Amino acid sequence: MVLTTDSKRWVKRLLTGSHAMSLAARFAPPAALILAYHSIHNHPDEYADTIGANNIHETSVFEKHMELVARNFSSVTLDEILLFLEGKRSLPPRAVAVTFDDGYRDNLEFAAPVLARYGIRGTFFVTVDYIGASKLPWFIRLRYAFWNTRLVSWRGPWSERTFKLESLEDRRCAFLAACEYGARRVGAAQEEVISGIEHELEIEPPAANEMMMTWDEVRKLHSAGHLIGSHTLTHPNMAFVGEQEARLEFQESKRRLEKELGVRVEHFSYPHPVLDPNWTDRTAAICREVGFVSGVTTVSAPVRRGQNPYSLPRLYTPRELSDFRWHLERSLFQRAQGRAHACDV
Ligand SMILES: [Zn+2]
């Protein structure tokens, strides 16, 4: 029998509504779920050619998610999950932590008030070089360039093929190929590649327009009780850059965050700009050596005792509330490691 999307939703609603799954999860070993968000906006469509629709949750959708977390789960922080992994404390049943990547200003403007309403303390992973900077993250500049160029094809200086730029799908395909060049580089080398592609596409970079937080805004989140973590300096794929470059991204982002916030910064989130995997045993080892206590990934699975704290899985967050609830309920008793979810550019 083939189930339609509507009938699948109906079955999921029936199962989650009947408490059968929460009952089943009671017999599974203790677990925590870490949720991954990026941008929260009232009008996501306005940012389709910069942040990208897939990376944005509408504020009202996010509010419904948090209302469900507050009502049906126990919200915890990453610090509490680490203590659980170290065997120093137990977790409340159905523990859920909420995290955000990249450092968008909307996190303070739209997400933080919702979190405050439901008494949830989140963790915000910021990309240090873009905090208060005049330039936007490289993947936003690339999306803007490919979405807005007047050219109908592109053959970048580093590319082995010519990409059509006629339909939106063509542009997305070329954008993802170009992202591979940014993802493999850091700092000035990365900037050179991105500005080279903008030049090829005859596009000026978009105005920064307060899209990313300033240091004062990051400090406001911290003062409100949220944790701040590192999402590197320049958002490369850490598994695809050299050891010295990776070490600098870990070390320097930590040092600058600690200098700006005046507190220890202990949590790290691996960027996932195309290319798999986005972390390896080598990156996990450097993450530990430079003094972080955790590293979160984009592998969708629950956190259980025995999990390496430097490769903590995080759940993707489906927008539709019944899908979101199903995903959380099912994950509570999922045993196997999940697959990496969509990349974060
Ligand atoms: Zn990211």
Side-chain angles (χ1 to χ4, degrees):
M1 183 176 69
V2 178
L3 290 175
T4 63
T5 307
D6 277 351
S7 47
K8 275 184 194 162
R9 281 216 171 111
W10 184 82
V11 172
K12 287 176 190 174
R13 273 196 198 122
L14 190 75
L15 279 169
T16 47
S18 71
H19 301 291
M21 295 185 74
S22 10
L23 202 66
R26 223 181 264 180
F27 297 100
L33 307 178
I34 307 177
L35 307 183
Y37 291 93
H38 289 85
S39 167
I40 310 294
H41 260 296
N42 290 344
H43 304 288
D45 291 351
E46 291 173 14
Y47 298 87
D49 67 346
T50 49
I51 298 172
N54 287 344
N55 296 322
I56 309 172
H57 284 70
E58 204 175 323
T59 312
S60 60
V61 168
F62 179 68
E63 170 118 31
K64 283 181 190 156
H65 285 191
M66 293 305 104
E67 199 258 331
L68 181 80
V69 167
R71 194 183 59 225
N72 290 10
F73 296 84
S74 309
S75 82
V76 294
T77 63
L78 275 192
D79 282 345
E80 290 170 273
I81 293 178
L82 264 292
L83 289 171
F84 158 73
L85 288 177
E86 289 163 12
K88 292 181 180 161
R89 62 167 287 174
S90 55
L91 283 174
R94 301 162 66 75
V96 171
V98 182
T99 70
F100 300 81
D101 279 1
D102 295 343
Y104 298 111
R105 190 176 178 280
D106 57 67
N107 290 181
L108 175 70
E109 191 174 358
F110 300 116
V114 173
L115 295 175
R117 261 198 296 288
Y118 295 101
I120 296 171
R121 292 173 66 205
T123 302
F124 294 84
F125 293 105
V126 303
T127 320
V128 170
D129 266 10
Y130 301 121
I131 296 303
S134 57
K135 282 188 175 164
L136 286 168
W138 64 265
F139 46 93
I140 289 183
R141 287 166 58 189
L142 279 188
R143 182 179 283 101
Y144 181 82
F146 280 99
W147 262 238
N148 291 288
T149 181
R150 288 166 188 269
L151 303 190
V152 292
S153 68
W154 172 68
R155 188 173 197 280
W158 311 276
S159 179
E160 285 158 11
R161 59 177 273 209
T162 299
F163 291 88
K164 283 193 299 175
L165 297 174
E166 287 160 14
S167 67
L168 196 57
E169 195 42 47
D170 289 342
R171 287 168 187 254
R172 179 167 169 75
C173 186
F175 160 73
L176 289 174
C179 278
E180 293 197 19
Y181 295 96
R184 291 172 188 274
R185 290 167 175 79
V186 300
Q190 186 190 69
E191 171 59 31
E192 195 183 323
V193 166
I194 303 309
S195 53
I197 295 173
E198 286 171 336
H199 180 73
E200 287 278 322
L201 296 173
E202 300 171 11
I203 284 283
E204 288 295 319
N209 229 0
E210 300 181 341
M211 199 180 285
M212 311 306 289
M213 280 187 278
T214 62
W215 282 114
D216 273 345
E217 288 165 341
V218 177
R219 280 189 281 269
K220 265 188 200 165
L221 281 177
H222 181 253
S223 311
H226 301 295
L227 299 175
I228 307 296
S230 162
H231 196 46
T232 70
L233 293 173
T234 61
H235 208 278
N237 183 319
M238 297 292 265
F240 286 81
V241 301
E243 176 150 352
Q244 288 312 311
E245 293 166 321
R247 193 171 288 276
L248 183 79
E249 292 276 329
F250 278 119
Q251 214 156 29
E252 186 60 11
S253 63
K254 187 174 195 297
R255 189 191 68 78
R256 279 179 38 203
L257 276 164
E258 291 181 345
K259 182 170 168 267
E260 292 288 347
L261 298 174
V263 293
R264 282 195 69 181
V265 169
E266 299 186 306
H267 303 289
F268 180 85
S269 162
Y270 290 97
H272 192 186
V274 299
L275 301 171
D276 287 310
N278 62 328
W279 58 275
T280 61
D281 289 345
R282 178 188 63 119
T283 59
I286 305 173
C287 190
R288 179 173 50 75
E289 279 164 36
V290 306
F292 287 106
V293 301
S294 81
V296 297
T297 68
T298 48
V299 171
S300 202
V303 178
R304 297 208 186 277
R305 264 218 174 102
Q307 170 73 48
N308 181 342
Y310 295 96
S311 55
L312 294 178
R314 278 192 301 178
L315 303 192
Y316 66 89
T317 44
R319 281 148 184 79
E320 165 68 35
L321 189 64
S322 60
D323 293 342
F324 175 73
R325 184 172 176 188
W326 167 261
H327 188 45
L328 266 60
E329 295 287 359
R330 188 186 57 168
S331 299
L332 276 173
F333 57 90
Q334 177 188 339
R335 281 161 198 278
Q337 277 282 324
R339 284 186 301 130
H341 45 88
C343 61
D344 73 340
V345 292

